[in-house]
Each structure stands twice: as C-alpha cells, then as structure tokens.
Amino acid sequence: MANYTIETKPAFTVLGLDKVLTGGFSEMGQQKQDFWKKINADHALDQLTGINDYPFAVNEAINGEFHYYAGRQVVADTQAATGQRLIEFPAGKYLVITGTAADQMGLYNSLEGPAFGEILPQLDDYAYVGGPNTSYVTGTDANGVHGEMLVPLVEK
C-alpha cells in the first residue's frame, strides 16, 4: 500500500496547459504520456511562471470531458492566457500520497493507481466526490523522482 495521510491544506491554484483525453482509461494513460513528452520536448512549462519549479499534472472532469493539464502552482490572481486554464484547489482535507519512481510519468502513475484503486475505496470517514486532483514532483535525486498526489476529500 502506498504511503498516505489525510491533511488539511490551504487553497492553491495551478496554471495549466490543457489536453482533452478521450477513450477508455487504458488509452488515456498513453495520451497523458504523449502529452508530457510533447510538453517536455517543447519546454512549454518554461513559459509558465510559477511560485516554484515543480511540474503539476492535474486531472479534472468538466461537462463530461476528461481534462488533463501540465502546469505550475501560481499565485491566485494570475491571469490565464489563451490555451491555459487556472485550476482552483479549495482549502480543506486532502488525501496526500507520497512516492518515488524512476521518472516523472512513472511517479504520476505510481500515485494515481493506488489513490483510486486502493486507498479511496477503503476510507471509512472520507470520500472523494469529484473536483480536480493533482500529482506533482517535489524533487529528484539519486533514488529517482519524488512527489505527491493530492485528492480533495469530504467527510462522510
């Protein structure tokens, strides 16, 4: 089981570059990977000035579409340009999962799977009722890429 805690987090905002994902979850995984390859090859995140250099991956369902964003955390009054979206994360309780993997996509995958497949189904006092969730890199060292996933929760 992945390492996790339930923590109260302050509100924060991510400025993201949008990709609409289609098909089933197996196709979406490849689309996410292809999106990050393009973002990294184009150095697209370099155009987003954030409050830190950590890359964020955000999942959000909007009007029946599954949106995926590559972004950076920004101050709340940041303005989004064309092709960008501000994703607001409210203050409150979050499932916080930590992990390490060989690379960025490995990290994101190693956090999302346990969050939705193992941890959330077994929580007795909290539930995920939608809204954006995010994974982000917190550092890299000889052991790999380190990061966290945040999933907003409500009390049951």
Side-chain angles (χ1 to χ4, degrees):
M1 170 96 38
N3 294 328
Y4 76 92
T5 57
I6 296 175
E7 300 176 19
T8 301
K9 295 285 190 179
F12 65 98
T13 303
V14 173
L15 178 61
L17 305 170
D18 188 18
K19 167 76 175 160
V20 175
L21 303 177
T22 59
F25 285 109
S26 60
E27 293 92 359
M28 288 181 185
Q30 185 62 51
Q31 291 172 52
K32 288 178 180 183
Q33 188 168 353
D34 293 345
F35 182 57
W36 272 106
K37 283 181 185 175
K38 182 173 178 16
I39 292 293
N40 289 333
D42 294 347
H43 301 282
L45 287 184
D46 295 345
Q47 300 168 22
L48 305 180
T49 303
I51 60 175
N52 58 46
D53 289 333
Y54 301 151
F56 280 69
V58 178
N59 299 295
E60 183 177 37
I62 303 173
N63 299 325
E65 291 184 323
F66 193 75
H67 291 257
Y68 186 70
Y69 306 93
R72 296 209 189 278
Q73 185 176 357
V74 295
V75 294
D77 63 352
T78 299
Q79 298 294 313
T82 302
Q84 301 174 349
R85 176 162 154 61
L86 289 169
I87 305 108
E88 304 287 336
F89 289 83
K93 297 284 185 184
Y94 283 84
L95 171 64
V96 180
I97 307 164
T98 58
T100 301
D103 59 27
Q104 181 182 3
M105 279 310 299
L107 173 68
Y108 296 154
N109 291 335
S110 73
L111 297 171
E112 283 184 18
F116 293 98
E118 297 172 21
I119 299 167
L120 287 169
Q122 74 173 1
L123 293 180
D124 293 328
D125 298 330
Y126 296 94
Y128 171 62
V129 294
N133 60 77
T134 186
S135 299
Y136 58 98
V137 173
T138 58
T140 304
D141 62 20
N143 295 319
V145 178
H146 306 279
E148 293 184 338
M149 180 169 196
L150 302 178
V151 180
L153 300 174
V154 296
E155 290 189 41
K156 287 185 181 177

PDB file of all heavy atoms in Angstrom, residues 13-40:
ATOM      1  N   THR A  13      -3.599  27.358  -6.404  1.00  0.00           N
ATOM      2  CA  THR A  13      -4.011  27.463  -7.796  1.00  0.00           C
ATOM      3  C   THR A  13      -2.901  26.932  -8.693  1.00  0.00           C
ATOM      4  O   THR A  13      -1.725  27.206  -8.464  1.00  0.00           O
ATOM      5  CB  THR A  13      -4.300  28.935  -8.170  1.00  0.00           C
ATOM      6  OG1 THR A  13      -5.297  29.440  -7.272  1.00  0.00           O
ATOM      7  CG2 THR A  13      -4.794  29.070  -9.596  1.00  0.00           C
ATOM      8  N   VAL A  14      -3.293  26.185  -9.726  1.00  0.00           N
ATOM      9  CA  VAL A  14      -2.357  25.699 -10.729  1.00  0.00           C
ATOM     10  C   VAL A  14      -2.738  26.309 -12.072  1.00  0.00           C
ATOM     11  O   VAL A  14      -3.916  26.310 -12.448  1.00  0.00           O
ATOM     12  CB  VAL A  14      -2.375  24.154 -10.817  1.00  0.00           C
ATOM     13  CG1 VAL A  14      -1.524  23.655 -11.982  1.00  0.00           C
ATOM     14  CG2 VAL A  14      -1.913  23.533  -9.503  1.00  0.00           C
ATOM     15  N   LEU A  15      -1.755  26.849 -12.776  1.00  0.00           N
ATOM     16  CA  LEU A  15      -1.942  27.332 -14.140  1.00  0.00           C
ATOM     17  C   LEU A  15      -1.513  26.205 -15.060  1.00  0.00           C
ATOM     18  O   LEU A  15      -0.371  25.753 -15.001  1.00  0.00           O
ATOM     19  CB  LEU A  15      -1.103  28.585 -14.399  1.00  0.00           C
ATOM     20  CG  LEU A  15      -1.166  29.163 -15.814  1.00  0.00           C
ATOM     21  CD1 LEU A  15      -2.582  29.594 -16.171  1.00  0.00           C
ATOM     22  CD2 LEU A  15      -0.191  30.330 -15.943  1.00  0.00           C
ATOM     23  N   GLY A  16      -2.455  25.723 -15.876  1.00  0.00           N
ATOM     24  CA  GLY A  16      -2.167  24.544 -16.675  1.00  0.00           C
ATOM     25  C   GLY A  16      -2.387  24.698 -18.160  1.00  0.00           C
ATOM     26  O   GLY A  16      -3.188  25.521 -18.609  1.00  0.00           O
ATOM     27  N   LEU A  17      -1.672  23.876 -18.911  1.00  0.00           N
ATOM     28  CA  LEU A  17      -1.850  23.715 -20.344  1.00  0.00           C
ATOM     29  C   LEU A  17      -2.763  22.514 -20.527  1.00  0.00           C
ATOM     30  O   LEU A  17      -2.499  21.444 -19.978  1.00  0.00           O
ATOM     31  CB  LEU A  17      -0.503  23.486 -21.028  1.00  0.00           C
ATOM     32  CG  LEU A  17       0.550  24.561 -20.747  1.00  0.00           C
ATOM     33  CD1 LEU A  17       1.913  24.122 -21.261  1.00  0.00           C
ATOM     34  CD2 LEU A  17       0.128  25.880 -21.372  1.00  0.00           C
ATOM     35  N   ASP A  18      -3.826  22.658 -21.303  1.00  0.00           N
ATOM     36  CA  ASP A  18      -4.930  21.706 -21.357  1.00  0.00           C
ATOM     37  C   ASP A  18      -4.782  20.668 -22.459  1.00  0.00           C
ATOM     38  O   ASP A  18      -4.326  20.969 -23.563  1.00  0.00           O
ATOM     39  CB  ASP A  18      -6.221  22.490 -21.577  1.00  0.00           C
ATOM     40  CG  ASP A  18      -7.480  21.653 -21.475  1.00  0.00           C
ATOM     41  OD1 ASP A  18      -7.444  20.548 -20.909  1.00  0.00           O
ATOM     42  OD2 ASP A  18      -8.524  22.131 -21.956  1.00  0.00           O
ATOM     43  N   LYS A  19      -5.215  19.450 -22.143  1.00  0.00           N
ATOM     44  CA  LYS A  19      -5.344  18.359 -23.106  1.00  0.00           C
ATOM     45  C   LYS A  19      -6.635  17.624 -22.761  1.00  0.00           C
ATOM     46  O   LYS A  19      -6.827  17.195 -21.625  1.00  0.00           O
ATOM     47  CB  LYS A  19      -4.150  17.407 -22.992  1.00  0.00           C
ATOM     48  CG  LYS A  19      -4.299  16.074 -23.702  1.00  0.00           C
ATOM     49  CD  LYS A  19      -4.125  16.217 -25.178  1.00  0.00           C
ATOM     50  CE  LYS A  19      -4.163  14.848 -25.851  1.00  0.00           C
ATOM     51  NZ  LYS A  19      -4.460  14.965 -27.250  1.00  0.00           N
ATOM     52  N   VAL A  20      -7.556  17.501 -23.722  1.00  0.00           N
ATOM     53  CA  VAL A  20      -8.771  16.722 -23.512  1.00  0.00           C
ATOM     54  C   VAL A  20      -8.436  15.277 -23.856  1.00  0.00           C
ATOM     55  O   VAL A  20      -7.920  14.986 -24.939  1.00  0.00           O
ATOM     56  CB  VAL A  20      -9.934  17.233 -24.383  1.00  0.00           C
ATOM     57  CG1 VAL A  20     -11.154  16.334 -24.230  1.00  0.00           C
ATOM     58  CG2 VAL A  20     -10.285  18.669 -24.005  1.00  0.00           C
ATOM     59  N   LEU A  21      -8.715  14.363 -22.916  1.00  0.00           N
ATOM     60  CA  LEU A  21      -8.448  12.943 -23.114  1.00  0.00           C
ATOM     61  C   LEU A  21      -9.723  12.247 -23.575  1.00  0.00           C
ATOM     62  O   LEU A  21     -10.819  12.594 -23.152  1.00  0.00           O
ATOM     63  CB  LEU A  21      -7.949  12.308 -21.815  1.00  0.00           C
ATOM     64  CG  LEU A  21      -6.695  12.943 -21.214  1.00  0.00           C
ATOM     65  CD1 LEU A  21      -6.347  12.262 -19.903  1.00  0.00           C
ATOM     66  CD2 LEU A  21      -5.520  12.894 -22.172  1.00  0.00           C
ATOM     67  N   THR A  22      -9.560  11.259 -24.440  1.00  0.00           N
ATOM     68  CA  THR A  22     -10.705  10.533 -24.980  1.00  0.00           C
ATOM     69  C   THR A  22     -10.476   9.037 -24.830  1.00  0.00           C
ATOM     70  O   THR A  22      -9.354   8.588 -24.594  1.00  0.00           O
ATOM     71  CB  THR A  22     -10.918  10.869 -26.467  1.00  0.00           C
ATOM     72  OG1 THR A  22      -9.731  10.528 -27.185  1.00  0.00           O
ATOM     73  CG2 THR A  22     -11.229  12.349 -26.662  1.00  0.00           C
ATOM     74  N   GLY A  23     -11.550   8.265 -24.984  1.00  0.00           N
ATOM     75  CA  GLY A  23     -11.446   6.814 -24.933  1.00  0.00           C
ATOM     76  C   GLY A  23     -11.486   6.295 -23.515  1.00  0.00           C
ATOM     77  O   GLY A  23     -11.844   6.996 -22.567  1.00  0.00           O
ATOM     78  N   GLY A  24     -11.089   5.034 -23.356  1.00  0.00           N
ATOM     79  CA  GLY A  24     -11.062   4.388 -22.046  1.00  0.00           C
ATOM     80  C   GLY A  24      -9.807   4.738 -21.273  1.00  0.00           C
ATOM     81  O   GLY A  24      -8.905   5.411 -21.788  1.00  0.00           O
ATOM     82  N   PHE A  25      -9.750   4.259 -20.023  1.00  0.00           N
ATOM     83  CA  PHE A  25      -8.619   4.603 -19.171  1.00  0.00           C
ATOM     84  C   PHE A  25      -7.295   4.096 -19.721  1.00  0.00           C
ATOM     85  O   PHE A  25      -6.266   4.739 -19.546  1.00  0.00           O
ATOM     86  CB  PHE A  25      -8.851   4.101 -17.744  1.00  0.00           C
ATOM     87  CG  PHE A  25      -9.839   4.949 -16.993  1.00  0.00           C
ATOM     88  CD1 PHE A  25     -11.100   4.476 -16.688  1.00  0.00           C
ATOM     89  CD2 PHE A  25      -9.517   6.237 -16.611  1.00  0.00           C
ATOM     90  CE1 PHE A  25     -12.021   5.261 -16.020  1.00  0.00           C
ATOM     91  CE2 PHE A  25     -10.419   7.043 -15.942  1.00  0.00           C
ATOM     92  CZ  PHE A  25     -11.681   6.553 -15.646  1.00  0.00           C
ATOM     93  N   SER A  26      -7.293   2.968 -20.410  1.00  0.00           N
ATOM     94  CA  SER A  26      -6.027   2.472 -20.967  1.00  0.00           C
ATOM     95  C   SER A  26      -5.515   3.409 -22.058  1.00  0.00           C
ATOM     96  O   SER A  26      -4.316   3.656 -22.161  1.00  0.00           O
ATOM     97  CB  SER A  26      -6.190   1.045 -21.496  1.00  0.00           C
ATOM     98  OG  SER A  26      -7.169   1.001 -22.514  1.00  0.00           O
ATOM     99  N   GLU A  27      -6.410   3.959 -22.884  1.00  0.00           N
ATOM    100  CA  GLU A  27      -5.997   4.925 -23.906  1.00  0.00           C
ATOM    101  C   GLU A  27      -5.568   6.246 -23.271  1.00  0.00           C
ATOM    102  O   GLU A  27      -4.655   6.909 -23.764  1.00  0.00           O
ATOM    103  CB  GLU A  27      -7.122   5.196 -24.907  1.00  0.00           C
ATOM    104  CG  GLU A  27      -7.491   4.030 -25.783  1.00  0.00           C
ATOM    105  CD  GLU A  27      -8.609   3.176 -25.217  1.00  0.00           C
ATOM    106  OE1 GLU A  27      -9.107   3.470 -24.118  1.00  0.00           O
ATOM    107  OE2 GLU A  27      -8.980   2.202 -25.886  1.00  0.00           O
ATOM    108  N   MET A  28      -6.240   6.628 -22.193  1.00  0.00           N
ATOM    109  CA  MET A  28      -5.916   7.894 -21.543  1.00  0.00           C
ATOM    110  C   MET A  28      -4.503   7.886 -20.985  1.00  0.00           C
ATOM    111  O   MET A  28      -3.812   8.902 -21.026  1.00  0.00           O
ATOM    112  CB  MET A  28      -6.919   8.206 -20.436  1.00  0.00           C
ATOM    113  CG  MET A  28      -8.270   8.602 -20.956  1.00  0.00           C
ATOM    114  SD  MET A  28      -9.366   8.983 -19.561  1.00  0.00           S
ATOM    115  CE  MET A  28     -10.887   9.248 -20.424  1.00  0.00           C
ATOM    116  N   GLY A  29      -4.065   6.760 -20.466  1.00  0.00           N
ATOM    117  CA  GLY A  29      -2.709   6.666 -19.930  1.00  0.00           C
ATOM    118  C   GLY A  29      -1.666   6.974 -20.992  1.00  0.00           C
ATOM    119  O   GLY A  29      -0.710   7.715 -20.748  1.00  0.00           O
ATOM    120  N   GLN A  30      -1.856   6.442 -22.187  1.00  0.00           N
ATOM    121  CA  GLN A  30      -0.923   6.705 -23.286  1.00  0.00           C
ATOM    122  C   GLN A  30      -1.020   8.158 -23.732  1.00  0.00           C
ATOM    123  O   GLN A  30      -0.009   8.784 -24.043  1.00  0.00           O
ATOM    124  CB  GLN A  30      -1.190   5.769 -24.462  1.00  0.00           C
ATOM    125  CG  GLN A  30      -0.173   5.910 -25.590  1.00  0.00           C
ATOM    126  CD  GLN A  30       1.239   5.562 -25.149  1.00  0.00           C
ATOM    127  OE1 GLN A  30       1.483   4.507 -24.571  1.00  0.00           O
ATOM    128  NE2 GLN A  30       2.181   6.464 -25.403  1.00  0.00           N
ATOM    129  N   GLN A  31      -2.235   8.718 -23.744  1.00  0.00           N
ATOM    130  CA  GLN A  31      -2.406  10.121 -24.124  1.00  0.00           C
ATOM    131  C   GLN A  31      -1.694  11.043 -23.133  1.00  0.00           C
ATOM    132  O   GLN A  31      -1.079  12.042 -23.536  1.00  0.00           O
ATOM    133  CB  GLN A  31      -3.893  10.478 -24.196  1.00  0.00           C
ATOM    134  CG  GLN A  31      -4.615   9.820 -25.352  1.00  0.00           C
ATOM    135  CD  GLN A  31      -6.106  10.050 -25.280  1.00  0.00           C
ATOM    136  OE1 GLN A  31      -6.567  11.182 -25.146  1.00  0.00           O
ATOM    137  NE2 GLN A  31      -6.879   8.977 -25.347  1.00  0.00           N
ATOM    138  N   LYS A  32      -1.777  10.716 -21.844  1.00  0.00           N
ATOM    139  CA  LYS A  32      -1.072  11.505 -20.830  1.00  0.00           C
ATOM    140  C   LYS A  32       0.429  11.451 -21.069  1.00  0.00           C
ATOM    141  O   LYS A  32       1.118  12.475 -21.018  1.00  0.00           O
ATOM    142  CB  LYS A  32      -1.396  10.985 -19.424  1.00  0.00           C
ATOM    143  CG  LYS A  32      -2.793  11.283 -18.954  1.00  0.00           C
ATOM    144  CD  LYS A  32      -3.020  10.684 -17.582  1.00  0.00           C
ATOM    145  CE  LYS A  32      -4.406  10.954 -17.048  1.00  0.00           C
ATOM    146  NZ  LYS A  32      -4.586  10.430 -15.683  1.00  0.00           N
ATOM    147  N   GLN A  33       0.935  10.257 -21.318  1.00  0.00           N
ATOM    148  CA  GLN A  33       2.376  10.093 -21.542  1.00  0.00           C
ATOM    149  C   GLN A  33       2.815  10.880 -22.782  1.00  0.00           C
ATOM    150  O   GLN A  33       3.834  11.573 -22.746  1.00  0.00           O
ATOM    151  CB  GLN A  33       2.714   8.617 -21.690  1.00  0.00           C
ATOM    152  CG  GLN A  33       4.190   8.351 -21.732  1.00  0.00           C
ATOM    153  CD  GLN A  33       4.511   6.879 -21.596  1.00  0.00           C
ATOM    154  OE1 GLN A  33       3.654   6.051 -21.350  1.00  0.00           O
ATOM    155  NE2 GLN A  33       5.767   6.564 -21.741  1.00  0.00           N
ATOM    156  N   ASP A  34       2.060  10.780 -23.864  1.00  0.00           N
ATOM    157  CA  ASP A  34       2.388  11.510 -25.087  1.00  0.00           C
ATOM    158  C   ASP A  34       2.334  13.020 -24.865  1.00  0.00           C
ATOM    159  O   ASP A  34       3.177  13.768 -25.385  1.00  0.00           O
ATOM    160  CB  ASP A  34       1.428  11.127 -26.223  1.00  0.00           C
ATOM    161  CG  ASP A  34       1.599   9.695 -26.687  1.00  0.00           C
ATOM    162  OD1 ASP A  34       2.632   9.053 -26.350  1.00  0.00           O
ATOM    163  OD2 ASP A  34       0.679   9.190 -27.375  1.00  0.00           O
ATOM    164  N   PHE A  35       1.356  13.473 -24.077  1.00  0.00           N
ATOM    165  CA  PHE A  35       1.221  14.898 -23.764  1.00  0.00           C
ATOM    166  C   PHE A  35       2.453  15.398 -23.013  1.00  0.00           C
ATOM    167  O   PHE A  35       3.019  16.435 -23.349  1.00  0.00           O
ATOM    168  CB  PHE A  35      -0.063  15.119 -22.957  1.00  0.00           C
ATOM    169  CG  PHE A  35      -0.350  16.545 -22.594  1.00  0.00           C
ATOM    170  CD1 PHE A  35      -0.468  17.526 -23.566  1.00  0.00           C
ATOM    171  CD2 PHE A  35      -0.547  16.912 -21.268  1.00  0.00           C
ATOM    172  CE1 PHE A  35      -0.762  18.842 -23.228  1.00  0.00           C
ATOM    173  CE2 PHE A  35      -0.840  18.216 -20.927  1.00  0.00           C
ATOM    174  CZ  PHE A  35      -0.943  19.187 -21.910  1.00  0.00           C
ATOM    175  N   TRP A  36       2.892  14.648 -22.001  1.00  0.00           N
ATOM    176  CA  TRP A  36       4.071  15.065 -21.237  1.00  0.00           C
ATOM    177  C   TRP A  36       5.335  15.038 -22.087  1.00  0.00           C
ATOM    178  O   TRP A  36       6.206  15.895 -21.942  1.00  0.00           O
ATOM    179  CB  TRP A  36       4.242  14.226 -19.978  1.00  0.00           C
ATOM    180  CG  TRP A  36       3.473  14.805 -18.843  1.00  0.00           C
ATOM    181  CD1 TRP A  36       2.321  14.339 -18.306  1.00  0.00           C
ATOM    182  CD2 TRP A  36       3.776  16.004 -18.121  1.00  0.00           C
ATOM    183  NE1 TRP A  36       1.889  15.169 -17.297  1.00  0.00           N
ATOM    184  CE2 TRP A  36       2.773  16.195 -17.168  1.00  0.00           C
ATOM    185  CE3 TRP A  36       4.807  16.936 -18.198  1.00  0.00           C
ATOM    186  CZ2 TRP A  36       2.760  17.276 -16.297  1.00  0.00           C
ATOM    187  CZ3 TRP A  36       4.794  18.011 -17.322  1.00  0.00           C
ATOM    188  CH2 TRP A  36       3.781  18.175 -16.393  1.00  0.00           C
ATOM    189  N   LYS A  37       5.447  14.066 -22.991  1.00  0.00           N
ATOM    190  CA  LYS A  37       6.614  14.051 -23.890  1.00  0.00           C
ATOM    191  C   LYS A  37       6.657  15.336 -24.709  1.00  0.00           C
ATOM    192  O   LYS A  37       7.717  15.943 -24.865  1.00  0.00           O
ATOM    193  CB  LYS A  37       6.562  12.836 -24.825  1.00  0.00           C
ATOM    194  CG  LYS A  37       6.962  11.543 -24.172  1.00  0.00           C
ATOM    195  CD  LYS A  37       6.904  10.402 -25.174  1.00  0.00           C
ATOM    196  CE  LYS A  37       7.195   9.078 -24.498  1.00  0.00           C
ATOM    197  NZ  LYS A  37       7.033   7.937 -25.414  1.00  0.00           N
ATOM    198  N   LYS A  38       5.500  15.748 -25.229  1.00  0.00           N
ATOM    199  CA  LYS A  38       5.429  16.972 -26.028  1.00  0.00           C
ATOM    200  C   LYS A  38       5.716  18.205 -25.160  1.00  0.00           C
ATOM    201  O   LYS A  38       6.489  19.080 -25.566  1.00  0.00           O
ATOM    202  CB  LYS A  38       4.062  17.095 -26.694  1.00  0.00           C
ATOM    203  CG  LYS A  38       3.919  18.323 -27.578  1.00  0.00           C
ATOM    204  CD  LYS A  38       2.621  18.315 -28.339  1.00  0.00           C
ATOM    205  CE  LYS A  38       2.380  19.526 -29.194  1.00  0.00           C
ATOM    206  NZ  LYS A  38       3.447  20.406 -29.513  1.00  0.00           N
ATOM    207  N   ILE A  39       5.109  18.277 -23.997  1.00  0.00           N
ATOM    208  CA  ILE A  39       5.325  19.412 -23.090  1.00  0.00           C
ATOM    209  C   ILE A  39       6.809  19.536 -22.756  1.00  0.00           C
ATOM    210  O   ILE A  39       7.387  20.625 -22.808  1.00  0.00           O
ATOM    211  CB  ILE A  39       4.494  19.246 -21.787  1.00  0.00           C
ATOM    212  CG1 ILE A  39       3.002  19.360 -22.075  1.00  0.00           C
ATOM    213  CG2 ILE A  39       4.938  20.217 -20.690  1.00  0.00           C
ATOM    214  CD1 ILE A  39       2.534  20.709 -22.525  1.00  0.00           C
ATOM    215  N   ASN A  40       7.445  18.417 -22.409  1.00  0.00           N
ATOM    216  CA  ASN A  40       8.862  18.439 -22.042  1.00  0.00           C
ATOM    217  C   ASN A  40       9.744  18.761 -23.244  1.00  0.00           C
ATOM    218  O   ASN A  40      10.699  19.533 -23.129  1.00  0.00           O
ATOM    219  CB  ASN A  40       9.270  17.119 -21.396  1.00  0.00           C
ATOM    220  CG  ASN A  40       8.669  16.954 -20.008  1.00  0.00           C
ATOM    221  OD1 ASN A  40       8.382  17.929 -19.315  1.00  0.00           O
ATOM    222  ND2 ASN A  40       8.459  15.726 -19.592  1.00  0.00           N
TER     223      ASN A  40
END
